[in-house]
């Protein structure tokens, strides 16, 4: 799931800690997952699992560091533009406001840029 990965990158921690924090879960994780699912639905993509159930499954995995966080820690920008930039691009093409997705793309992109991983 790309959007929780971006929140993990911003917070610098594993997803279980993000899910355990009520404010992060409510304000960021649920918001970005729901918005991503809504964008997919606009394109005819159906998701068979609700956001809460998806986060519960992820939480059961325990302490998992997302690949996006691991990439940046290893000096790679990898998925930031490819995944998050694509989500933001889809929202713009569909003329769907997505301020939370914009933020969770802009901030990791800035972090990677400051670290010298992006131009």
């Amino acid at each position: 799931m790309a959007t929780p990965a971006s929140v993990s990158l911003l917070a610098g921690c594993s997803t279980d800690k993000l899910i355990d924090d009520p404010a992060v879960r409510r304000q960021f994780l649920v918001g970005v997952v729901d918005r991503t699912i809504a964008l997919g639905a606009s394109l005819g993509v159906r998701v068979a699992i609700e956001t809460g159930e998806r986060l519960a499954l992820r939480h059961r995995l325990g302490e998992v560091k997302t690949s996006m966080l691991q990439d940046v820690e290893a000096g790679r920008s990898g998925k930031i533009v490819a995944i998050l930039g694509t989500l933001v691009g889809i929202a713009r093409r569909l003329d769907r406001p997505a301020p939370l997705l914009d933020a969770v793309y802009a901030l990791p992109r800035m972090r990677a840029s400051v670290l010298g991983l992006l131009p």
Side-chain angles (χ1 to χ4, degrees):
M1 233 181 334
T3 48
S6 62
V7 178
S8 171
L9 171 58
L10 290 170
C13 68
S14 58
T15 54
D16 60 318
K17 289 179 178 65
L18 298 172
I19 294 167
D20 283 340
D21 185 294
V24 172
R25 179 185 174 101
R26 182 182 61 254
Q27 296 297 324
F28 289 95
L29 297 178
V30 171
V32 294
V33 172
D34 283 350
R35 193 66 189 136
T36 301
I37 289 171
L39 286 174
S42 296
L43 298 170
V45 177
R46 293 180 42 101
V47 176
I49 185 171
E50 296 292 324
T51 300
E53 189 178 350
R54 179 179 298 272
L55 292 174
L57 286 170
R58 176 163 256 194
H59 191 265
R60 285 197 290 270
L61 294 173
E63 188 176 342
V64 174
K65 208 181 250 194
T66 65
S67 61
M68 195 174 290
L69 175 56
Q70 290 178 53
D71 282 350
V72 169
E73 288 178 343
R76 299 182 303 265
S77 63
K79 301 169 186 81
I80 294 171
V81 174
I83 294 173
L84 299 174
T86 299
L87 286 174
V88 168
I90 289 169
R92 287 186 182 135
R93 281 201 130 144
L94 295 174
D95 199 26
R96 300 281 178 111
L100 188 53
L101 290 179
D102 288 339
V104 297
Y105 173 51
L107 292 170
R109 191 184 72 232
M110 177 59 73
R111 181 172 179 198
S113 179
V114 167
L115 292 171
L117 305 177
L118 290 173

